[in-house]
Amino acid sequence: MNKATRRTVIAGNWKMNMTPSQTKEFIKELAPMVAGKDDCDIVLCVPFVDIAPAVEAAKGTNIKVGAENVHFAKNGAYTGEISAEMLNECGAEYVVIGHSERRQYFGETNETVNQRVKAALEGGLKVILCVGELLAEREQGITEEIVSLQTKIALLDVTAEQLKNVIIAYEPVWAIGTGKTATPEQADEVCGIIRGVIAKLYSAEAAEAFTVQYGGSMNAKNAAELLSKVNVDGGLIGGASLKTADFTVIVDAAQ
């Protein structure tokens, strides 16, 4: 982390877990555990049905609330989809876009990720943009090409001013839910590659101020070492974000 130039963000991605009542209980338990720990932004990205309960439970705390996806249209015949305006009115501040599970299971492409990113930014949301390579792509030695391409397409037509409301989470797909984790050196290298793309697309100053998270099975045991790396500015946390004690350890590591 380089706190002198950029903000550290620890965000939980709950995926399809937690009911509204469980959400309220979770935040009630978590809030005193992370109170006053303001050296990083603390975000919980929750299922749509949990957003309003989470916002209510998080009032008066340092916990921010986000969504897990957003549609690229403002409204229309898109059964089952949620717009940026809807998320805003529910109280969501952040939204995860382009997670590998959305790409793998629900047909998300680099182009639709770009559309969603622009819609979210225009709708006043902060974006956590996910990029990352498959195991076969890493083994082929094309991690840099894949991650760079995903980043460039996702940020097409995003202005330098809008970029201030974007975070990129590097999630090696081979480390999602597998228990495998990139080494701190691997995570730092790819987060650095992403920062280099930002420098080329925008400026060196923009890149130095830009937050890049690591999102590949960061947990209570490995968080401190991963966060010690200069290009790793936080984490997008999966399973560990569903346990208040583990999530708190990660927040502590970011202090």
Side-chain angles (χ1 to χ4, degrees):
M1 296 179 290
N2 184 350
K3 293 187 177 183
T5 60
R6 47 191 181 260
R7 186 69 175 164
T8 304
V9 181
I10 302 296
N13 177 27
W14 281 8
K15 309 188 180 185
M16 196 176 70
N17 291 290
M18 297 279 193
T19 65
S21 61
Q22 290 170 334
T23 296
K24 289 187 281 189
E25 285 300 312
F26 182 95
I27 293 177
K28 182 180 178 182
E29 182 180 332
L30 178 67
M33 298 171 73
V34 297
K37 297 176 180 179
D38 299 324
D39 279 357
C40 68
D41 288 342
I42 302 168
V43 186
L44 295 177
C45 295
V46 304
F48 180 69
V49 296
D50 295 336
I51 292 173
V55 169
E56 182 64 29
K59 282 182 179 176
T61 76
N62 57 342
I63 299 169
K64 305 173 191 297
V65 178
E68 297 178 7
N69 193 29
V70 64
H71 197 259
F72 43 75
K74 292 183 178 180
N75 52 56
Y78 302 102
T79 302
E81 292 294 330
I82 305 298
S83 71
E85 183 181 17
M86 294 172 183
L87 294 178
N88 245 325
E89 195 160 318
C90 287
E93 184 175 342
Y94 289 79
V95 61
V96 177
I97 296 177
H99 192 278
S100 61
E101 289 158 0
R102 298 296 310 175
R103 298 177 191 255
Q104 179 180 357
Y105 301 128
F106 303 107
E108 194 81 83
T109 67
N110 291 332
E111 289 74 20
T112 60
V113 167
N114 173 242
Q115 290 177 304
R116 294 179 199 274
V117 167
K118 291 186 290 186
L121 292 170
E122 289 165 7
L125 297 168
K126 296 177 181 177
V127 170
I128 300 175
L129 165 64
C130 299
V131 301
E133 83 282 22
L134 302 171
L135 179 59
E137 292 166 339
R138 172 163 281 274
E139 290 176 341
Q140 287 176 285
I142 57 173
T143 292
E144 180 171 357
E145 290 92 330
I146 294 296
V147 170
S148 298
L149 180 68
Q150 290 176 345
T151 301
K152 289 175 181 177
I153 295 177
L155 294 178
L156 183 65
D157 296 326
V158 172
T159 69
E161 189 62 29
Q162 288 176 318
L163 187 72
K164 295 175 182 177
N165 286 316
V166 178
I167 294 167
I168 290 182
Y170 165 55
E171 46 155 20
V173 182
W174 48 272
I176 306 298
T178 63
K180 295 180 180 179
T181 310
T183 66
E185 291 72 26
Q186 288 172 324
D188 188 53
E189 178 188 14
V190 183
C191 288
I193 288 168
I194 293 167
R195 198 176 308 286
V197 173
I198 297 299
K200 290 177 183 177
L201 292 177
Y202 298 93
S203 68
E205 292 76 15
E208 192 57 33
F210 190 80
T211 295
V212 184
Q213 298 174 311
Y214 175 70
S217 297
M218 183 182 285
N219 56 49
K221 293 181 179 179
N222 62 28
E225 190 173 7
L226 285 163
L227 290 169
S228 72
K229 295 302 180 182
V230 68
N231 283 303
V232 180
D233 307 314
L236 181 61
I237 316 301
S241 70
L242 297 168
K243 303 171 184 177
T244 54
D246 286 7
F247 193 62
T248 300
V249 169
I250 298 170
V251 171
D252 287 343
Q255 301 298 302

